Amino acid sequence: MADEEYLLVAAPGWAGRTGTGGADAVCGALREVPLVACPEDLPTLRRYWRTAFGRQLTARPAVTVPDPRAVLAAVAAGAGYGLLPRALCRERLDNGRLALLHSPAEPPACALFLVRRPGTDANPDVARVHDRLVAAARAW
């Protein structure tokens, strides 16, 4: 098991418009920024708002895309802001193509579980993939 941390991110131009104030200021400023999401992310977005801002998410996505990689591409292109797993957006945060919009004391996370089909223990390829995923998850 590993925890996947979620971050509220946008292209640097949007980040400048949302400011660096407290949770209330950021939450208020985000009302003027388009939300980019995939349908599966809405429960995660709602949980982020409850835990990070102490309120219910009222925004609806301005853009809905099929998966988190599409959210990443749209947000990096300047379409608005999104909630993404750290592992997916780390490189673009590090090189400045994305900006972190909010840093809650305890960022919301989702537990990831690695499972294998019964009877695959003897397959060395499955064991190798399992070991690599477990090692990579330590950096997530």
Side-chain angles (χ1 to χ4, degrees):
M1 183 182 91
D3 284 332
E4 182 175 50
E5 184 180 342
Y6 279 82
L7 306 174
L8 206 54
V9 297
W14 286 114
R17 293 174 67 176
T18 61
T20 57
D24 287 340
V26 172
C27 191
L30 287 175
R31 289 188 199 120
E32 305 302 320
V33 181
L35 171 59
V36 180
C38 55
E40 296 80 19
D41 282 348
L42 292 178
T44 308
L45 278 159
R46 286 186 195 104
R47 186 173 58 244
Y48 188 97
W49 247 251
R50 277 193 317 270
T51 60
F53 297 126
R55 62 186 71 170
Q56 184 176 353
L57 173 68
T58 57
R60 292 182 175 233
V63 178
T64 303
V65 294
D67 62 52
R69 284 183 174 78
V71 172
L72 174 65
V75 167
Y81 74 97
L83 186 68
L84 291 168
R86 179 182 292 279
L88 185 60
C89 64
R90 176 183 294 132
E91 182 179 327
R92 292 186 190 205
L93 283 167
D94 290 347
N95 67 25
R97 292 183 63 204
L98 281 181
L100 185 63
L101 299 179
H102 183 241
S103 294
E106 193 168 320
C110 290
L112 299 175
F113 297 91
L114 181 59
V115 296
R116 294 192 278 188
R117 195 176 306 169
T120 61
D121 293 341
N123 184 330
D125 294 326
V126 172
R128 190 171 22 261
V129 169
H130 175 269
D131 293 345
R132 287 190 181 169
L133 285 172
V134 168
R138 290 185 186 110
W140 295 344

